[in-house]
């Protein structure tokens, strides 16, 4: 295997983190514009660096990569306490800590909120840094709101909605474990009142949601694939067609899709067809800093409202 050119990666590290005290991306190789390292991402979970590799590389190349990143972060002034290397090229994700020591669970901050994360135990860390602008939108639009957070994962949208002044939030995710972490996140931020955690299959729970409707803000941020329960390209339409029933005239919907298989135009068309034109596009949120991509292929975070008759 030829030697990997680390020029783009090391240059990004030299710039430092866009948010030195908050979780953020340092290097977005998977934006498909970074040459030899377009399969590598680097995130900052202060005070730890999280390096993810999505293509097979040999052991010597892994060692060279982690050593180069560690040395570069020292020169750039990160002063990281540890480096986590997540290798996702095979069937099973492998995690190592080549430098420093990293606790099993610790707090990170973003936009005035705190969240529990785990860098060494699970494939997903507990928060997705690419959704920063989505969380900012929810925080800025939740004053006195009743919020529905579908596919809530660890409830970051719910926490930031409450910090933005939401009156009530309903979180739904079929994974009870992540909802427990979500409850921990609310307690961590002292916003545990008027929060519901529903461990249900969303596709089978619209009757319950309709009884609780209407909502002022609705967030739909599904996984692209969840074995045995959800496939974005097949199942998202089933959710979209029911959303108008959960709205009033001023409801704001943040509809998200994070898959290179679904372009922005395809996503807009999917929403239009599934809702029979009942929803109107307001805006696409910008990418979070250091997540910019040549064609915006991956994360789509779109704000919608009911169409005006």
């Amino acid at each position: 295997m030829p030697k990997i050119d680390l020029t783009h990666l090391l240059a990004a590290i030299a710039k430092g983190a866009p948010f030195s005290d908050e979780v953020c991306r340092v290097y977005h190789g998977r934006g498909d514009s970074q040459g030899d390292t377009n399969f590598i991402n680097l995130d900052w979970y202060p005070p730890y660096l999280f390096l993810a590799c999505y293509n097979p590389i040999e052991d010597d190349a892994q060692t060279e990569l982690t050593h180069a990143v560690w040395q570069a972060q020292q020169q750039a002034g990160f002063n990281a306490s540890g480096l986590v290397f997540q290798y996702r090229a095979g069937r099973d994700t492998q995690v190592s800590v080549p430098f420093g020591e990293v606790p099993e669970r610790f707090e990170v901050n973003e936009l005035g909120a705190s969240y529990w994360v785990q860098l060494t135990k699970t494939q997903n860390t507990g928060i997705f840094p690419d959704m920063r602008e989505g969380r900012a939108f929810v925080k800025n639009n939740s004053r006195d709101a009743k919020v529905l957070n579908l596919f809530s994962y660890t409830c970051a949208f719910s926490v930031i909605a409450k910090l933005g002044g939401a009156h009530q939030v309903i979180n739904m995710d079929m994974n009870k474990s992540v909802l427990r972490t979500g409850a921990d996140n609310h307690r961590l931020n002292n916003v545990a009142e008027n929060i519901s955690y529903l461990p249900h299959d969303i596709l089978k729970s619209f009757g319950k949601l309709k009884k609780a409707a209407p909502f002022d803000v609705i967030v739909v941020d599904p996984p692209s694939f969840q074995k045995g329960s959800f496939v974005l390209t097949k199942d998202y339409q089933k959710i979209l067609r029911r959303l108008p029933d959960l709205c009033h005239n001023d409801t704001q919907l943040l509809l998200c899709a994070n898959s290179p298989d679904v372009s922005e135009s395809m996503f807009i068309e999917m929403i239009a067809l599934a809702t029979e034109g009942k929803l109107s596009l307001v805006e696409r949120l910008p990418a979070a800093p250091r997540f910019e991509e040549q064609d915006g292929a991956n994360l789509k975070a779109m704000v919608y409202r009911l169409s005006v008759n």
Side-chain angles (χ1 to χ4, degrees):
M1 179 177 291
K3 184 180 178 67
I4 301 173
D5 184 352
L6 301 178
T7 302
H8 289 105
L9 170 60
L10 299 182
I13 296 172
K15 292 179 182 178
F19 306 101
S20 60
D21 297 325
E22 298 186 3
V23 59
C24 58
R25 180 134 297 182
V26 176
Y27 177 72
H28 188 50
R30 298 191 89 202
D32 294 330
S33 61
Q34 307 298 343
D36 280 6
T37 44
N38 63 2
F39 59 93
I40 293 170
N41 292 334
L42 181 65
D43 291 319
W44 178 230
Y45 290 80
Y48 308 102
L49 283 164
F50 183 76
L51 180 65
C53 176
Y54 292 81
N55 282 5
I57 59 174
E58 296 175 354
D59 290 346
D60 289 348
Q62 289 186 33
T63 300
E64 178 187 358
L65 172 63
T66 55
H67 277 76
V69 168
W70 188 249
Q71 184 177 27
Q73 68 85 20
Q74 292 175 323
Q75 294 172 349
F78 280 86
N79 299 315
S81 297
L83 172 66
V84 177
F85 180 65
Q86 186 185 81
Y87 189 56
R88 297 176 64 165
R91 180 173 297 178
D92 299 318
T93 298
Q94 301 174 30
V95 179
S96 61
V97 183
F99 295 97
E101 296 182 0
V102 179
E104 182 175 296
R105 187 168 95 147
F106 62 96
E107 295 176 36
V108 295
N109 301 305
E110 181 202 68
L111 299 171
S114 298
Y115 304 99
W116 290 109
V117 296
Q118 295 178 308
L119 304 187
T120 60
K121 189 174 181 181
T122 58
Q123 180 169 290
N124 295 321
T125 64
I127 190 170
F128 295 104
D130 61 347
M131 194 51 81
R132 180 187 179 93
E133 295 302 315
R135 288 186 287 271
F137 172 83
V138 169
K139 184 178 184 180
N140 293 333
N141 289 275
S142 291
R143 175 65 58 187
D144 299 323
K146 183 177 183 179
V147 179
L148 174 61
N149 183 23
L150 298 179
F151 301 98
S152 59
Y153 186 46
T154 57
C155 304
F157 276 117
S158 180
V159 168
I160 206 70
K162 287 292 289 184
L163 290 175
H167 170 67
Q168 179 185 1
V169 185
I170 295 177
N171 297 285
M172 183 174 285
D173 195 297
M174 66 188 302
N175 186 328
K176 293 181 180 180
S177 176
V178 296
L179 288 177
R180 285 194 292 269
T181 300
D184 288 345
N185 282 334
H186 284 86
R187 287 189 288 268
L188 181 63
N189 290 274
N190 297 312
V191 289
E193 295 184 356
N194 293 327
I195 308 293
S196 300
Y197 308 94
L198 304 181
H200 304 319
D201 184 338
I202 293 167
L203 295 172
K204 301 176 181 178
S205 303
F206 273 95
K208 184 180 294 289
L209 294 176
K210 193 170 182 179
K211 288 180 181 179
F215 299 93
D216 302 302
V217 177
I218 298 174
V219 179
V220 188
D221 183 21
S224 58
F225 177 79
Q226 197 169 58
K227 186 176 181 180
S229 62
F230 188 85
V231 178
L232 188 146
T233 53
K234 179 173 67 75
D235 295 319
Y236 208 150
Q237 296 93 324
K238 301 173 186 176
I239 293 171
L240 291 169
R241 67 173 60 107
R242 303 295 294 273
L243 291 179
D245 293 336
L246 307 181
C247 300
H248 55 66
N249 288 339
D250 294 320
T251 299
Q252 297 189 89
L253 302 98
L254 179 59
L255 307 181
C256 309
N258 195 353
S259 170
D261 298 326
V262 179
S263 67
E264 178 176 334
S265 60
M266 290 171 61
F267 190 39
I268 291 172
E269 183 178 9
M270 178 193 299
I271 295 169
L273 290 174
T275 65
E276 298 179 336
K278 294 176 182 176
L279 299 181
S280 295
L281 175 63
V282 177
E283 64 174 323
R284 175 175 179 170
L285 299 182
R290 302 278 179 91
F291 276 95
E292 295 82 2
E293 299 180 352
Q294 285 186 319
D295 57 3
N298 289 338
L299 177 63
K300 278 72 64 177
M302 320 291 280
V303 179
Y304 276 80
R305 288 182 180 269
L306 281 180
S307 298
V308 177
N309 295 327

